[in-house]
Amino acid sequence: SYMSIIDQNASRFAARTKTGVISLFSSVDDTARFTAHWHRPSAILVRVTGEIDAVNASHLTEYATRYLDGHRALVLDLEGLRFFGTDGLVALDEIRRHCAIERIDWSVIPGRAVAKLLDISGDSGTFPLSDSIPEVWSKLAL
């Protein structure tokens, strides 16, 4: 699996900072890059750049949900995506289900590619969307 090398290296990259932002590590597949940041003890920010398509949409689900144990909030920053295919919507729906089951407050910063697809598909109301990181932090009950 594309994550195995990343997992072996995870502890090497983990670093605590006084600001409470911990950048754990990044993971790269053929078309996208995933980065997890710990914001305060209770929230995780997952930033995705590049492209989400049929090949790697499941990576989005896996990466966004794998570090959530013990956290109360997930922020998914998709602003840096150049392309977001319909399989990405399926991934978002799986993340939504996971957060509902685990009672995790979550928010998506869609960016242009994601917002465009949400408009076309009529799914804009399905997911908790935010315009920016500062807006998310003020909205989420941390």
Side-chain angles (χ1 to χ4, degrees), residues 7-135:
D7 290 339
Q8 287 160 22
N9 293 337
S11 56
R12 202 183 305 165
F13 292 107
R16 302 201 163 267
T17 63
K18 289 211 167 92
T19 60
V21 179
I22 302 165
S23 183
L24 182 70
F25 57 87
S26 289
S27 145
V28 181
D29 64 24
D30 289 341
T31 52
R33 181 185 182 93
F34 304 83
T35 315
H37 302 269
W38 272 232
H39 271 255
R40 314 171 200 180
S42 58
I44 277 185
L45 168 69
V46 171
R47 181 167 282 140
V48 188
T49 56
E51 304 182 359
I52 294 294
D53 51 29
V55 175
N56 67 355
S58 62
H59 297 178
L60 173 60
T61 309
E62 187 183 345
Y63 196 89
T65 56
R66 74 182 323 183
Y67 305 110
L68 288 175
D69 290 350
H71 291 86
R72 291 200 307 276
L74 164 69
V75 177
L76 199 51
D77 179 0
L78 305 180
E79 229 173 347
L81 286 175
R82 288 188 309 275
F83 175 81
F84 190 74
T86 50
D87 295 273
L89 291 180
V90 177
L92 282 184
D93 206 52
E94 284 173 15
I95 295 165
R96 182 180 62 76
R97 262 204 310 275
H98 181 92
C99 287
I101 292 165
E102 301 292 329
R103 297 192 174 158
I104 289 160
D105 201 0
W106 76 299
S107 193
V108 181
I109 299 164
R112 193 175 295 162
V114 178
K116 188 172 145 190
L117 183 62
L118 288 173
D119 285 344
I120 293 167
S121 64
D123 285 323
S124 293
T126 312
F127 307 108
L129 305 180
S130 291
D131 288 335
S132 67
I133 301 274
E135 186 195 325

